[in-house]
Amino acid sequence: MTSRDILHMRRAIALAARGLGGTSPNPVVGCVVLDPSGEVAGEGFHAYAGGPHAEVVALRDAGGRARGGTAYVTLEPCAHTGRTGPCATALLEAGVARVVVAVPDPNPVAAGGAEVLRRHGVRVDEGVLTAEAEEGNAAWLTFVRARRPFVTWKFAATMDGRSAASDGTSQWITSPEARADVHRLRAESDAVVAGIGTVLADDPRLTVRPPAGSSAEPSVAPVLRVVADPGARTPAGARVLDGAAPTLVAVAEDAAVPAHLSPVVRIPRVQGGIDLHALLAELHGRRIVSVLVEGGPTLAGAFLREGLVDRVVGYLAPALLGAGAAALGPAGVSTITEIHRLEFASVTPVGPDLKVVLRPKTPAHQSSLPAHPLVTDPLVTDPQVVQSPKES
């Protein structure tokens, strides 16, 4: 690995990030193509599901300068035909002499591009900035390797950890800038999950909205709104049922469901609610790659207790309440040795607030589970699978 390899792969990783929120259920991928002299000839990223892959975009940008050159790709080029042709073939036809790959493709249907290239005389170097590229593609890698959606828990709180005052009021603890950033988080997710307690107390819409004072419409497809409602208590007039975005109500298997709740999915009941593992398995089957948990402290505690939180995003206001609702409910900790310890990923100011991003010490996307035989390439249309509402 040379310093030039690091430089160009880091650029490819930055390009891949431009696709966040648009590529699901596909991965985000970036590509940089150099000409034979080592100058950048083309760049590209995968922008939306069904659209051209990063390699194809970069090769088009490079034109004839790609022949004899080098391509840096954040994910192993695919070797199959889905809604687009194999990227390995595109690289061969362009005459690229060397391909540098950050992450091997864990999808058993799409993998194999590196071997195809090698068989045709292309030099392939793998493992350049793997950890950085995996972090940028954590949601999709979790979806494939851990066989469930990537889960982000978002909360807003005062510096003493309160998400509401003693009388239940909570609007607004954080600033307009922080709330605008939450909408960006939603836009990057396939589904937003809230518990019935939040729906009854706050009547949220859970949609992606433009910043206050802006007339611009969000440039992303609606996320799927999911209500964890074991007893099927979501009122007919709840704003999550307003038709502004798709909604799925997850009820217990034995719940009596009123006529106004549709569609619903029945999930096994467990003590305190519904089986969250089963809920995520249902969403995985619908090709939901990433989930944003915006429910109250009870739902957040349940996700954390079950080991199902892959990222925590907290917005901390420079304020104190001293009493009121805590941001997190019971999370399975009865003694200090059971504490949920995380690592800081970033701490950044957002307006007057702090945005703190944390992750588990062993992320799920680094899971060593064997490839699942039912994992299919998201680019292959499967009429038996209900598609994510964000898929193009």
Side-chain angles (χ1 to χ4, degrees):
M1 184 191 314
T2 67
S3 57
R4 185 172 72 172
D5 289 340
I6 293 172
L7 174 69
H8 294 305
M9 186 60 77
R10 190 156 285 149
R11 173 59 180 168
I13 293 170
L15 288 167
R18 295 185 183 180
L20 285 171
T23 66
S24 185
N26 299 342
V28 293
V29 184
C31 179
V32 174
V33 175
L34 309 185
D35 65 17
S37 70
E39 296 296 317
V40 175
E43 295 184 337
F45 66 95
H46 184 42
Y48 60 94
H53 290 192
E55 298 94 321
V56 173
V57 176
L59 290 171
R60 288 175 182 170
D61 190 30
R65 295 175 63 195
R67 185 162 300 277
T70 299
Y72 293 84
V73 191
T74 57
L75 185 69
E76 178 186 4
C78 62
H80 79 295
T81 299
R83 282 183 283 179
T84 62
C87 291
T89 300
L91 290 163
L92 289 172
E93 291 176 347
V96 170
R98 180 184 179 225
V99 175
V100 183
V101 176
V103 181
D105 195 330
N107 188 327
V109 172
E115 182 57 33
V116 169
L117 291 167
R118 289 190 178 104
R119 286 203 309 266
H120 288 82
V122 176
R123 175 184 168 186
V124 179
D125 295 319
E126 300 180 85
V128 176
L129 295 187
T130 299
E132 285 187 34
E134 286 197 343
E135 184 63 29
N137 228 350
W140 183 80
L141 290 170
T142 298
F143 178 80
V144 174
R145 291 173 175 170
R147 308 168 199 165
R148 64 165 176 80
F150 180 88
V151 177
T152 297
W153 169 46
K154 183 277 298 181
F155 72 93
T158 59
M159 294 303 293
D160 55 341
R162 305 292 177 177
S163 61
S166 297
D167 65 355
T169 57
S170 61
Q171 296 184 347
W172 296 103
I173 285 176
T174 52
S175 64
E177 293 90 340
R179 298 196 295 276
D181 198 64
V182 169
H183 284 285
R184 182 191 59 78
L185 270 182
R186 288 182 185 173
E188 291 179 359
S189 305
D190 294 328
V192 178
V193 181
I196 183 58
T198 296
V199 170
L200 294 175
D202 299 335
D203 194 21
R205 295 186 71 215
L206 301 179
T207 53
V208 178
R209 299 189 296 277
S214 170
S215 60
E217 292 296 324
S219 59
V220 296
V223 300
L224 175 67
R225 302 180 289 190
V226 180
V227 181
D229 182 7
R233 295 187 294 149
T234 302
R239 294 201 292 176
V240 292
L241 303 179
D242 62 7
T247 299
L248 182 68
V249 182
V251 304
E253 286 178 327
D254 57 353
V257 180
H260 69 267
L261 285 188
S262 179
V264 300
V265 59
R266 291 189 178 273
I267 303 295
R269 185 187 290 275
V270 297
Q271 184 176 4
I274 57 176
D275 185 333
L276 296 179
H277 293 272
L279 174 60
L280 291 183
E282 174 69 27
L283 295 178
H284 183 273
R286 295 169 181 257
R287 296 193 177 181
I288 298 296
V289 173
S290 58
V291 165
L292 181 64
V293 175
E294 290 206 54
T298 301
L299 185 64
F303 268 95
L304 195 60
R305 184 169 62 248
E306 295 298 318
L308 295 174
V309 174
D310 301 297
R311 180 175 61 166
V312 177
V313 180
Y315 296 90
L316 301 178
L320 301 169
L321 277 171
L328 181 64
V333 176
S334 58
T335 182
I336 196 66
T337 58
E338 298 170 347
I339 194 170
H340 298 282
R341 293 199 180 275
L342 307 169
E343 295 180 335
F344 285 104
S346 63
V347 179
T348 53
V350 179
D353 306 317
L354 278 182
K355 177 183 179 182
V356 181
V357 180
L358 305 103
R359 59 193 172 201
K361 292 188 176 182
T362 305
H365 70 259
Q366 295 178 359
S367 167
S368 57
L369 285 171
H372 195 289
L374 296 180
V375 172
T376 57
D377 177 18
L379 290 177
V380 179
T381 301
D382 182 355
Q384 301 303 312
V385 179
V386 179
Q387 300 296 323
S388 160
K390 292 192 70 178
E391 184 176 1
S392 299

